[in-house]
Amino acid sequence: EVQVVESGGGLVQPGGSLTLSCAVSGFTFDDYGIGWFRQAPGKEREGVACLSIRHGSTYYANSVKGRFHISRDNAQNTVYLQMNSLKPEDTAVYYCAADEMARIRVPTVVPHNSPRNWGQGTQVTVSS
């Protein structure tokens, strides 16, 4: 079975940086994607950034372009999200997900087309 485990959340001041990690196991083929999503109370779970394992393509939400960077450690199936210049509006629970790329590269999570393999989530709080 596919397993997804993320970590690295915490409390950081505005303008600070934080790096999240996501370890994925259980896939029998390499045509899949890994994505980061976030959800604040009362809001939709939205896509933040994602990466194609096979092609190496990366995508970012407009709200984080130039501030966040997604990358992969090729030694293991581990993906990182480096977050810089953090703002209070970045505060949310961040989730890692793994699935076919078509289910990963989405702006929001919807019932008919969304990732099927999720991590437990990690809290990121940006506050002074």
Side-chain angles (χ1 to χ4, degrees), residues 70-119:
I70 188 170
S71 62
R72 179 192 179 188
D73 181 353
N74 290 321
Q76 302 180 69
N77 288 327
T78 303
V79 169
Y80 304 92
L81 182 67
Q82 182 180 348
M83 304 183 293
N84 303 309
S85 301
L86 284 163
K87 306 173 182 179
E89 50 263 45
D90 294 318
T91 296
V93 176
Y94 283 70
Y95 297 89
C96 185
D99 208 329
E100 301 170 356
M101 195 62 189
R103 288 182 173 269
I104 294 294
R105 190 185 173 186
V106 293
T108 59
V109 175
V110 295
H112 62 280
N113 187 26
S114 62
R116 293 168 291 184
N117 306 293
W118 292 91

Side-chain angles (χ1 to χ4, degrees), residues 21-86:
S21 63
C22 174
V24 178
S25 63
F27 279 104
T28 59
F29 59 96
D30 66 356
D31 190 13
Y32 64 94
I34 298 177
W36 287 98
F37 298 77
R38 66 185 182 186
Q39 186 169 25
K43 297 184 178 180
E44 294 181 322
R45 187 174 298 188
E46 62 178 351
V48 176
C50 62
L51 178 150
S52 168
I53 295 298
R54 173 176 288 185
H55 301 104
S57 304
T58 59
Y59 306 89
Y60 298 90
N62 289 334
S63 60
V64 306
K65 284 183 178 179
R67 299 190 298 122
F68 290 13
H69 179 69
I70 188 170
S71 62
R72 179 192 179 188
D73 181 353
N74 290 321
Q76 302 180 69
N77 288 327
T78 303
V79 169
Y80 304 92
L81 182 67
Q82 182 180 348
M83 304 183 293
N84 303 309
S85 301
L86 284 163

